Amino acid sequence: MALHVKHLSGDKRRAITVETVIELAAEQNPNDITTAAIANRMGLSQGALFKHFPNKDAILSAVMEWVSKRLLSRVDKAVQSIASPTAALEAMFMAHVSFVAEHPGVPRMLFGELQHASDTAPKRMAQTLISHYRERIHKFIEAGKAEGELYSGLDNDAAVSLFVGSIQGLVMQSLLAGDVKKLAQEAPRVFNIYLRGIRSA
Amino acid sequence: MALHVKHLSGDKRRAITVETVIELAAEQNPNDITTAAIANRMGLSQGALFKHFPNKDAILSAVMEWVSKRLLSRVDKAVQSIASPTAALEAMFMAHVSFVAEHPGVPRMLFGELQHASDTAPKRMAQTLISHYRERIHKFIEAGKAEGELYSGLDNDAAVSLFVGSIQGLVMQSLLAGDVKKLAQEAPRVFNIYLRGIRSA
DNA sequence: CAAAAGTAAGTGAATGGTTACTTACTTTAT
DNA sequence: ATAAAGTAAGTAACCATTCACTTACTTTTG
């Protein structure tokens, strides 16, 4: 019928909830996104959220699952059918940056979750996402070395850290400037320096 | 008489408060450090804090001021009497990393403040700290170019971003590992890659 | 020089606002 | 008609801030 906005199916509602949280995280401190704010943005009452999620942590977990799936499938897609490891790293970098530009709330939520002392479910999910992400970079760096594209004396772990950090640096700068558009402009220039640091001769 | 712990002078109390907050920020999400937690760690009642600070924001502002002074003076000291711009960059990098290793709560608080939507006093202080920090790197990169130590085609802004990001990456990894000691080990290896990315020939 | 007055620092118990979550009841869709 | 989805009005916990009062030390004054 599509006319009624109320009484959506649970699956749809859960999906909308996740997108709403990510939207809100782009605008405010993820740590103080309230269930009231989420419900309000969705045009629902606060209590309605708890028909779909048992508690707030479950909402955040759903967000983390969404982020994990989308980010990893995005970078995986960007990388497939690219033969050269360094080209793959570049494609991965750009895919990640454009994902962040589309969803600025994502890195903020990730970092926000990692800050927690106790290991909550969403925190663990953030940790595994990042570890999966790092694994992918690791593979490309090893392959790049094997093919002679990368400096043979390169420290693999450090190279992975710097890859992740270079994106962090861009995110932080866009956080400071409050401007997401600059991300796309600066990204290739930062990657060029990184590439220069890891490639052979 | 030095025996009494109670009734310290206001200045001392304020200094202890700042250190306590940074200590707490190393252990838990800076966003939910409560005035009760601060007071409790100091062996004071909650109300006593407000004899020294008008409100919680003033406490956070004091923390940011502490961080700004200490971090900038630390890197400035590390750099003085170093002629070569690249050597200065390295010294600055290492000084920053060792500062963070000593005070793991600091980067967490900084990032936490930057996350806020409204611009509170402590947020503005975090912003100016970072902008001062970036200026210093900028100068060395320009000097490095002038002296031919750095790649002439280098994008200055990108190089600054990557410098900051490389530290961010290290911090994030130590956040994941929950291990601050690895910072000092990994730092030189990450900097080597960075240096390779910006230096000439 | 000591008692009185003053002051900064401390306590502990309100206070009011906010938040996650619950409950009792109503609406909608199949 | 019944189960899922929604509402509105709770509740208990928590948090920053305030307040009335006490304690430790300093300054003033008879």
Side-chain angles (χ1 to χ4, degrees):
Chain A
M1 285 301 189
L3 261 180
H4 295 97
V5 178
K6 298 197 172 182
H7 286 87
L8 282 183
S9 84
D11 280 345
K12 267 261 186 284
R13 212 34 121 191
R14 274 193 293 274
I16 292 178
T17 306
V18 166
E19 286 159 29
T20 302
V21 171
I22 291 173
E23 211 178 292
L24 286 170
E27 300 165 18
Q28 63 182 269
N29 189 339
N31 291 287
D32 39 54
I33 292 176
T34 65
T35 53
I38 301 167
N40 190 52
R41 176 72 62 105
M42 295 169 74
L44 281 184
S45 70
Q46 193 179 8
L49 278 183
F50 292 89
K51 296 283 166 163
H52 303 287
F53 299 91
N55 49 47
K56 195 187 180 186
D57 241 39
I59 298 178
L60 298 180
S61 289
V63 170
M64 284 303 150
E65 201 189 320
W66 185 97
V67 169
S68 295
K69 274 193 180 157
R70 305 273 281 222
L71 177 58
L72 289 180
S73 82
R74 182 97 154 229
V75 297
D76 285 344
K77 229 162 250 165
V79 142
Q80 76 185 172
S81 81
I82 294 188
S84 151
T86 56
L89 282 171
E90 181 166 9
M92 196 164 161
F93 190 91
M94 297 310 167
H96 188 155
V97 166
S98 80
F99 183 82
V100 168
E102 282 169 36
H103 308 289
V106 164
R108 304 176 56 153
M109 291 220 56
L110 272 172
F111 218 87
E113 286 306 323
L114 291 178
Q115 296 262 40
H116 286 103
S118 56
D119 52 26
T120 62
K123 181 183 178 180
R124 271 193 303 276
M125 295 174 75
Q127 287 171 324
T128 45
L129 165 59
I130 293 175
S131 101
H132 286 157
Y133 188 87
R134 291 180 68 101
E135 269 175 35
R136 282 162 167 79
I137 306 169
H138 235 290
K139 286 235 170 96
F140 286 123
I141 286 174
E142 278 172 1
K145 267 185 174 175
E147 301 207 12
E149 289 183 358
L150 299 187
Y151 169 51
S152 63
L154 183 65
D155 184 313
N156 289 14
D157 287 332
V160 174
S161 273
L162 190 54
F163 186 97
V164 174
S166 58
I167 293 174
Q168 284 272 127
L170 284 165
V171 168
M172 186 170 206
Q173 216 190 335
S174 77
L175 216 66
L176 280 163
D179 186 2
V180 192
K181 280 165 280 175
K182 285 182 182 168
L183 259 183
Q185 300 168 17
E186 280 254 11
R189 309 197 290 207
V190 168
F191 185 79
N192 273 344
I193 302 178
Y194 176 72
L195 183 58
R196 205 167 178 273
I198 63 172
R199 77 177 166 212
S200 54
Chain B
M1 283 304 197
L3 262 179
H4 295 97
V5 179
K6 298 196 174 181
H7 285 90
L8 281 185
S9 84
D11 280 345
K12 267 259 186 287
R13 213 32 123 192
R14 274 192 292 274
I16 293 178
T17 307
V18 166
E19 285 158 30
T20 302
V21 171
I22 292 172
E23 212 177 292
L24 286 170
E27 300 166 17
Q28 62 181 271
N29 189 338
N31 291 288
D32 40 53
I33 293 175
T34 64
T35 54
I38 301 168
N40 190 54
R41 175 72 62 105
M42 294 169 74
L44 279 186
S45 70
Q46 199 176 359
L49 279 182
F50 293 88
K51 297 285 172 176
H52 303 287
F53 298 92
N55 50 46
K56 195 186 180 186
D57 241 39
I59 298 178
L60 299 180
S61 289
V63 171
M64 285 303 149
E65 200 188 322
W66 186 96
V67 170
S68 295
K69 275 192 181 159
R70 306 273 281 220
L71 177 59
L72 289 180
S73 82
R74 183 95 156 232
V75 297
D76 285 344
K77 230 163 250 166
V79 142
Q80 74 186 172
S81 81
I82 294 187
S84 150
T86 57
L89 282 171
E90 181 166 10
M92 195 163 161
F93 190 91
M94 297 310 167
H96 187 154
V97 166
S98 81
F99 183 81
V100 168
E102 281 168 37
H103 309 289
V106 165
R108 303 176 55 154
M109 290 219 56
L110 271 172
F111 218 88
E113 285 306 323
L114 291 178
Q115 296 261 40
H116 286 102
S118 56
D119 53 23
T120 62
K123 181 182 179 181
R124 270 192 303 277
M125 295 174 77
Q127 287 171 325
T128 44
L129 165 58
I130 294 175
S131 101
H132 287 157
Y133 188 87
R134 291 180 67 100
E135 267 174 36
R136 281 162 167 80
I137 307 168
H138 234 289
K139 287 235 170 97
F140 286 124
I141 285 174
E142 277 171 2
K145 268 186 174 175
E147 301 207 13
E149 289 183 358
L150 299 186
Y151 170 51
S152 62
L154 182 64
D155 184 311
N156 290 13
D157 286 333
V160 174
S161 273
L162 190 54
F163 186 98
V164 174
S166 59
I167 292 174
Q168 285 273 126
L170 284 165
V171 168
M172 187 172 205
Q173 215 189 335
S174 78
L175 216 67
L176 280 164
D179 186 1
V180 191
K181 281 163 281 178
K182 284 182 182 168
L183 259 183
Q185 299 168 17
E186 280 254 12
R189 310 199 290 207
V190 168
F191 185 80
N192 273 344
I193 302 178
Y194 176 72
L195 184 57
R196 205 167 178 274
I198 62 172
R199 76 176 168 213
S200 53

